[in-house]
Amino acid sequence: MNPRRARVYAWALYDVGNSAFATVVMAGFFPIFFKEYWSGDLPATESTFWLGAANSVASLLILASAPLLGAMADGGGGRKRFLAAFTGLGVVATAALYLVPAGAWPVAAVLYTLAAIGFSGSMVFYDAMLLAVCRERHFDAVSALGYALGYLGGGLLFAFTVVMTLQPGWFGLAEEATAVRLAFLITAGWWAAFTLPLLRRVPEPMLGPRGGGIVAGLAELKTTLGRVGRLRPVVLFLAAYWFYIDGVDTIVRMAVDYGLAIGLETGDLILALLLTQAVGFPAALAFGRLGARLGPRRGIEIAIAVYLGVVVWATYLDSALEFYLLAAAVGLVQGGIQSLSRSLYARIIPRDRTAEFFGFYNMLGKFAAVLGPALMGGVGLVTGSPRAGMGVVALLFVVGWLLLRRVDEEAARRQARELEGRNDL
């Protein structure tokens, strides 16, 4: 295989590994297992609080540290080293969930928090390494390839673990609880295995000045803050991204809870998640082609329009069939809006500070994961209607779209190139 192509696939395969954690653990089994197995003796509201706290703590820690970590990596040429460290944390914590006995919800919550930190932290450096594997004209297609393989790999493992939990006897297991615990262990091994190609084949891009360490990282972070402030189109894009990805993350994290709140069965919700994964694989590839043809911003706008339709429809749905249809619609655009956002952002930032700038990018994404579900839950609590809570999510997509339309991509690229190699800001 051509060395450049080999690097592309090695990079994209990492998405196969970490997407398994996002699908099997974060969106799939952990929320249900936490409530029914580890915290079964707690009142439902209390177990929900602790699960939300685990998610919020992980997100807030990444929110606080992502820009500094990115600055340290750019200064010391350590993207792969940091990616490996965060991945190792996530893998070990996920595997350790297998050992947690029934009722030990504090241990489960701590391990899940550590695993989520590993997952989110690794993405800062994974996204930044896009520039090390392809040229700019291929950003859309390569970014989409990563998300597409993530949907495929994560979906296949999720399907396998669902079958294993539904029919534990087929696998020589005594009960469903054992199968779910084993699913955490399998996911950890899967994540680790698909990290190895990136560590072996993707070169460490040495784009920034040598440095490293916390002191150097803080100095680089101060410089980055100044640079971000001077790049007005980048600031506008980050603001737009924060709003619309807030909506995306809210739907991802709250879909199962919303379905249960309006009376749908757990089995239907799990099947809907599988459907989203199945549709997401070809759709992410298609969006990569769409971005190459129409431009990434136009592709993002199309995805936002679909999400608006999904949110409006969700406020009226009352059957499992409708939930399946909405899951398919989300699968059509979820990978596309994520991959095209990543490739558009990579176009408008200085090439010698990619990890720093992607630190801000991921920071905003994780900050959305803190506030979005809280907004939906708060409105639902005040109004007494989960449908009203879902409806308010539409505002996030509208504001994101309005800000995105104001981003001048050409001006951003020109300003970013002018700042490359400069340390006088």
Side-chain angles (χ1 to χ4, degrees), residues 343-370:
S343 64
L344 174 58
Y345 188 65
R347 282 175 162 83
I348 63 175
I349 61 176
R351 292 173 176 270
D352 57 350
R353 289 293 183 270
T354 56
E356 279 179 82
F357 276 75
F358 268 109
F360 277 89
Y361 178 84
N362 283 281
M363 176 188 71
L364 292 176
K366 301 307 172 288
F367 192 44
V370 174

mmCIF file of all heavy atoms in Angstrom, residues 343-370:
data_model
loop_
_atom_site.group_PDB
_atom_site.id
_atom_site.type_symbol
_atom_site.label_atom_id
_atom_site.label_comp_id
_atom_site.label_asym_id
_atom_site.label_seq_id
_atom_site.Cartn_x
_atom_site.Cartn_y
_atom_site.Cartn_z
ATOM 1 N N SER A 343 -12.886 19.325 9.356
ATOM 2 C CA SER A 343 -12.094 19.667 8.177
ATOM 3 C C SER A 343 -12.149 21.160 7.873
ATOM 4 O O SER A 343 -11.157 21.748 7.435
ATOM 5 C CB SER A 343 -12.562 18.854 6.968
ATOM 6 O OG SER A 343 -13.888 19.171 6.612
ATOM 7 N N LEU A 344 -13.301 21.810 8.095
ATOM 8 C CA LEU A 344 -13.380 23.257 7.885
ATOM 9 C C LEU A 344 -12.471 23.984 8.865
ATOM 10 O O LEU A 344 -11.731 24.910 8.491
ATOM 11 C CB LEU A 344 -14.828 23.729 8.042
ATOM 12 C CG LEU A 344 -15.055 25.243 7.981
ATOM 13 C CD1 LEU A 344 -14.548 25.816 6.662
ATOM 14 C CD2 LEU A 344 -16.541 25.574 8.161
ATOM 15 N N TYR A 345 -12.488 23.570 10.121
ATOM 16 C CA TYR A 345 -11.648 24.207 11.130
ATOM 17 C C TYR A 345 -10.167 24.028 10.798
ATOM 18 O O TYR A 345 -9.371 24.966 10.961
ATOM 19 C CB TYR A 345 -11.968 23.615 12.496
ATOM 20 C CG TYR A 345 -11.291 24.322 13.652
ATOM 21 C CD1 TYR A 345 -11.599 25.637 13.965
ATOM 22 C CD2 TYR A 345 -10.361 23.656 14.445
ATOM 23 C CE1 TYR A 345 -10.999 26.279 15.034
ATOM 24 C CE2 TYR A 345 -9.752 24.290 15.523
ATOM 25 C CZ TYR A 345 -10.079 25.606 15.803
ATOM 26 O OH TYR A 345 -9.475 26.244 16.867
ATOM 27 N N ALA A 346 -9.799 22.833 10.327
ATOM 28 C CA ALA A 346 -8.396 22.591 9.976
ATOM 29 C C ALA A 346 -7.926 23.519 8.864
ATOM 30 O O ALA A 346 -6.733 23.830 8.777
ATOM 31 C CB ALA A 346 -8.212 21.131 9.538
ATOM 32 N N ARG A 347 -8.836 23.991 8.026
ATOM 33 C CA ARG A 347 -8.491 24.886 6.918
ATOM 34 C C ARG A 347 -8.180 26.307 7.379
ATOM 35 O O ARG A 347 -7.479 27.040 6.685
ATOM 36 C CB ARG A 347 -9.653 24.960 5.926
ATOM 37 C CG ARG A 347 -9.783 23.788 4.987
ATOM 38 C CD ARG A 347 -11.057 23.963 4.148
ATOM 39 N NE ARG A 347 -11.043 23.139 2.959
ATOM 40 C CZ ARG A 347 -11.390 21.864 2.934
ATOM 41 N NH1 ARG A 347 -11.761 21.275 4.049
ATOM 42 N NH2 ARG A 347 -11.344 21.179 1.804
ATOM 43 N N ILE A 348 -8.710 26.730 8.508
ATOM 44 C CA ILE A 348 -8.670 28.151 8.851
ATOM 45 C C ILE A 348 -7.787 28.458 10.057
ATOM 46 O O ILE A 348 -7.837 29.576 10.585
ATOM 47 C CB ILE A 348 -10.097 28.691 9.097
ATOM 48 C CG1 ILE A 348 -10.760 27.994 10.287
ATOM 49 C CG2 ILE A 348 -10.950 28.541 7.839
ATOM 50 C CD1 ILE A 348 -12.139 28.577 10.650
ATOM 51 N N ILE A 349 -6.980 27.486 10.499
ATOM 52 C CA ILE A 349 -6.102 27.720 11.647
ATOM 53 C C ILE A 349 -4.642 27.632 11.212
ATOM 54 O O ILE A 349 -4.320 27.019 10.192
ATOM 55 C CB ILE A 349 -6.365 26.706 12.781
ATOM 56 C CG1 ILE A 349 -6.093 25.267 12.303
ATOM 57 C CG2 ILE A 349 -7.784 26.856 13.306
ATOM 58 C CD1 ILE A 349 -6.228 24.221 13.392
ATOM 59 N N PRO A 350 -3.725 28.259 11.976
ATOM 60 C CA PRO A 350 -2.297 28.163 11.643
ATOM 61 C C PRO A 350 -1.808 26.717 11.732
ATOM 62 O O PRO A 350 -2.089 26.009 12.702
ATOM 63 C CB PRO A 350 -1.632 29.035 12.718
ATOM 64 C CG PRO A 350 -2.708 29.954 13.193
ATOM 65 C CD PRO A 350 -3.972 29.168 13.112
ATOM 66 N N ARG A 351 -1.066 26.275 10.745
ATOM 67 C CA ARG A 351 -0.627 24.887 10.682
ATOM 68 C C ARG A 351 0.382 24.525 11.767
ATOM 69 O O ARG A 351 0.531 23.346 12.104
ATOM 70 C CB ARG A 351 -0.005 24.595 9.308
ATOM 71 C CG ARG A 351 -1.008 24.639 8.168
ATOM 72 C CD ARG A 351 -0.296 24.504 6.826
ATOM 73 N NE ARG A 351 -1.257 24.452 5.749
ATOM 74 C CZ ARG A 351 -1.799 23.338 5.275
ATOM 75 N NH1 ARG A 351 -1.459 22.188 5.807
ATOM 76 N NH2 ARG A 351 -2.660 23.370 4.288
ATOM 77 N N ASP A 352 1.092 25.497 12.290
ATOM 78 C CA ASP A 352 2.114 25.182 13.291
ATOM 79 C C ASP A 352 1.577 25.242 14.720
ATOM 80 O O ASP A 352 2.340 25.154 15.673
ATOM 81 C CB ASP A 352 3.319 26.131 13.152
ATOM 82 C CG ASP A 352 2.939 27.602 13.254
ATOM 83 O OD1 ASP A 352 1.722 27.892 13.242
ATOM 84 O OD2 ASP A 352 3.840 28.448 13.333
ATOM 85 N N ARG A 353 0.265 25.403 14.866
ATOM 86 C CA ARG A 353 -0.334 25.411 16.199
ATOM 87 C C ARG A 353 -1.632 24.591 16.201
ATOM 88 O O ARG A 353 -2.612 24.957 16.824
ATOM 89 C CB ARG A 353 -0.640 26.848 16.643
ATOM 90 C CG ARG A 353 0.598 27.681 16.984
ATOM 91 C CD ARG A 353 1.279 27.130 18.231
ATOM 92 N NE ARG A 353 2.425 27.924 18.629
ATOM 93 C CZ ARG A 353 3.655 27.716 18.198
ATOM 94 N NH1 ARG A 353 3.888 26.746 17.336
ATOM 95 N NH2 ARG A 353 4.644 28.463 18.610
ATOM 96 N N THR A 354 -1.600 23.454 15.495
ATOM 97 C CA THR A 354 -2.846 22.705 15.308
ATOM 98 C C THR A 354 -3.383 22.110 16.607
ATOM 99 O O THR A 354 -4.584 22.146 16.865
ATOM 100 C CB THR A 354 -2.645 21.572 14.284
ATOM 101 O OG1 THR A 354 -1.572 20.725 14.722
ATOM 102 C CG2 THR A 354 -2.330 22.128 12.924
ATOM 103 N N ALA A 355 -2.517 21.539 17.449
ATOM 104 C CA ALA A 355 -3.008 20.922 18.673
ATOM 105 C C ALA A 355 -3.580 21.968 19.621
ATOM 106 O O ALA A 355 -4.598 21.746 20.281
ATOM 107 C CB ALA A 355 -1.904 20.122 19.365
ATOM 108 N N GLU A 356 -2.926 23.140 19.690
ATOM 109 C CA GLU A 356 -3.458 24.219 20.515
ATOM 110 C C GLU A 356 -4.852 24.622 20.059
ATOM 111 O O GLU A 356 -5.789 24.708 20.858
ATOM 112 C CB GLU A 356 -2.551 25.447 20.413
ATOM 113 C CG GLU A 356 -1.329 25.431 21.280
ATOM 114 C CD GLU A 356 -0.532 26.697 21.060
ATOM 115 O OE1 GLU A 356 -0.890 27.721 21.677
ATOM 116 O OE2 GLU A 356 0.414 26.670 20.267
ATOM 117 N N PHE A 357 -4.979 24.888 18.755
ATOM 118 C CA PHE A 357 -6.260 25.347 18.244
ATOM 119 C C PHE A 357 -7.312 24.251 18.323
ATOM 120 O O PHE A 357 -8.482 24.535 18.582
ATOM 121 C CB PHE A 357 -6.093 25.859 16.812
ATOM 122 C CG PHE A 357 -5.634 27.292 16.736
ATOM 123 C CD1 PHE A 357 -4.322 27.628 17.005
ATOM 124 C CD2 PHE A 357 -6.516 28.294 16.405
ATOM 125 C CE1 PHE A 357 -3.891 28.943 16.938
ATOM 126 C CE2 PHE A 357 -6.103 29.622 16.338
ATOM 127 C CZ PHE A 357 -4.790 29.947 16.610
ATOM 128 N N PHE A 358 -6.912 23.010 18.118
ATOM 129 C CA PHE A 358 -7.871 21.925 18.286
ATOM 130 C C PHE A 358 -8.188 21.698 19.764
ATOM 131 O O PHE A 358 -9.234 21.131 20.093
ATOM 132 C CB PHE A 358 -7.372 20.636 17.631
ATOM 133 C CG PHE A 358 -7.843 20.493 16.212
ATOM 134 C CD1 PHE A 358 -6.959 20.633 15.157
ATOM 135 C CD2 PHE A 358 -9.171 20.230 15.930
ATOM 136 C CE1 PHE A 358 -7.396 20.515 13.847
ATOM 137 C CE2 PHE A 358 -9.622 20.103 14.633
ATOM 138 C CZ PHE A 358 -8.731 20.254 13.581
ATOM 139 N N GLY A 359 -7.301 22.134 20.642
ATOM 140 C CA GLY A 359 -7.636 22.100 22.055
ATOM 141 C C GLY A 359 -8.842 22.987 22.353
ATOM 142 O O GLY A 359 -9.757 22.602 23.075
ATOM 143 N N PHE A 360 -8.853 24.197 21.768
ATOM 144 C CA PHE A 360 -10.012 25.067 21.925
ATOM 145 C C PHE A 360 -11.243 24.449 21.269
ATOM 146 O O PHE A 360 -12.360 24.507 21.804
ATOM 147 C CB PHE A 360 -9.726 26.434 21.293
ATOM 148 C CG PHE A 360 -8.963 27.354 22.190
ATOM 149 C CD1 PHE A 360 -7.574 27.353 22.185
ATOM 150 C CD2 PHE A 360 -9.617 28.215 23.042
ATOM 151 C CE1 PHE A 360 -6.860 28.201 23.015
ATOM 152 C CE2 PHE A 360 -8.915 29.067 23.877
ATOM 153 C CZ PHE A 360 -7.539 29.056 23.864
ATOM 154 N N TYR A 361 -11.053 23.878 20.116
ATOM 155 C CA TYR A 361 -12.156 23.251 19.378
ATOM 156 C C TYR A 361 -12.809 22.144 20.207
ATOM 157 O O TYR A 361 -14.033 22.108 20.369
ATOM 158 C CB TYR A 361 -11.569 22.687 18.076
ATOM 159 C CG TYR A 361 -12.524 21.943 17.175
ATOM 160 C CD1 TYR A 361 -13.326 22.630 16.272
ATOM 161 C CD2 TYR A 361 -12.560 20.556 17.180
ATOM 162 C CE1 TYR A 361 -14.168 21.938 15.412
ATOM 163 C CE2 TYR A 361 -13.398 19.862 16.322
ATOM 164 C CZ TYR A 361 -14.198 20.559 15.446
ATOM 165 O OH TYR A 361 -15.026 19.875 14.602
ATOM 166 N N ASN A 362 -11.999 21.248 20.750
ATOM 167 C CA ASN A 362 -12.532 20.172 21.572
ATOM 168 C C ASN A 362 -13.063 20.673 22.905
ATOM 169 O O ASN A 362 -14.012 20.117 23.455
ATOM 170 C CB ASN A 362 -11.465 19.098 21.794
ATOM 171 C CG ASN A 362 -11.290 18.213 20.587
ATOM 172 O OD1 ASN A 362 -12.059 17.307 20.346
ATOM 173 N ND2 ASN A 362 -10.266 18.509 19.795
ATOM 174 N N MET A 363 -12.440 21.724 23.427
ATOM 175 C CA MET A 363 -12.926 22.313 24.667
ATOM 176 C C MET A 363 -14.377 22.777 24.503
ATOM 177 O O MET A 363 -15.238 22.494 25.342
ATOM 178 C CB MET A 363 -12.057 23.505 25.076
ATOM 179 C CG MET A 363 -12.543 24.247 26.309
ATOM 180 S SD MET A 363 -11.616 25.780 26.602
ATOM 181 C CE MET A 363 -12.210 26.800 25.259
ATOM 182 N N LEU A 364 -14.667 23.452 23.394
ATOM 183 C CA LEU A 364 -16.022 23.925 23.165
ATOM 184 C C LEU A 364 -16.987 22.766 22.986
ATOM 185 O O LEU A 364 -18.128 22.808 23.456
ATOM 186 C CB LEU A 364 -16.057 24.841 21.939
ATOM 187 C CG LEU A 364 -15.347 26.180 22.100
ATOM 188 C CD1 LEU A 364 -15.367 26.949 20.798
ATOM 189 C CD2 LEU A 364 -16.008 27.005 23.199
ATOM 190 N N GLY A 365 -16.533 21.722 22.291
ATOM 191 C CA GLY A 365 -17.386 20.557 22.121
ATOM 192 C C GLY A 365 -17.737 19.913 23.446
ATOM 193 O O GLY A 365 -18.881 19.517 23.687
ATOM 194 N N LYS A 366 -16.756 19.798 24.344
ATOM 195 C CA LYS A 366 -17.016 19.180 25.646
ATOM 196 C C LYS A 366 -17.814 20.112 26.556
ATOM 197 O O LYS A 366 -18.584 19.662 27.391
ATOM 198 C CB LYS A 366 -15.695 18.792 26.314
ATOM 199 C CG LYS A 366 -14.878 17.815 25.476
ATOM 200 C CD LYS A 366 -15.701 16.597 25.086
ATOM 201 C CE LYS A 366 -14.967 15.701 24.101
ATOM 202 N NZ LYS A 366 -14.870 16.260 22.757
ATOM 203 N N PHE A 367 -17.637 21.425 26.406
ATOM 204 C CA PHE A 367 -18.437 22.360 27.166
ATOM 205 C C PHE A 367 -19.908 22.248 26.778
ATOM 206 O O PHE A 367 -20.803 22.363 27.608
ATOM 207 C CB PHE A 367 -17.932 23.786 26.926
ATOM 208 C CG PHE A 367 -18.487 24.809 27.866
ATOM 209 C CD1 PHE A 367 -18.566 24.548 29.218
ATOM 210 C CD2 PHE A 367 -18.901 26.032 27.403
ATOM 211 C CE1 PHE A 367 -19.053 25.498 30.106
ATOM 212 C CE2 PHE A 367 -19.404 26.992 28.270
ATOM 213 C CZ PHE A 367 -19.472 26.719 29.626
ATOM 214 N N ALA A 368 -20.163 21.990 25.479
ATOM 215 C CA ALA A 368 -21.533 21.771 25.040
ATOM 216 C C ALA A 368 -22.123 20.555 25.735
ATOM 217 O O ALA A 368 -23.309 20.526 26.057
ATOM 218 C CB ALA A 368 -21.579 21.594 23.514
ATOM 219 N N ALA A 369 -21.310 19.530 25.955
ATOM 220 C CA ALA A 369 -21.809 18.323 26.617
ATOM 221 C C ALA A 369 -22.152 18.579 28.078
ATOM 222 O O ALA A 369 -22.865 17.789 28.689
ATOM 223 C CB ALA A 369 -20.765 17.203 26.519
ATOM 224 N N VAL A 370 -21.676 19.680 28.630
ATOM 225 C CA VAL A 370 -22.039 20.036 30.000
ATOM 226 C C VAL A 370 -23.366 20.802 30.022
ATOM 227 O O VAL A 370 -24.275 20.490 30.790
ATOM 228 C CB VAL A 370 -20.936 20.894 30.657
ATOM 229 C CG1 VAL A 370 -21.384 21.379 32.027
ATOM 230 C CG2 VAL A 370 -19.655 20.094 30.778
#
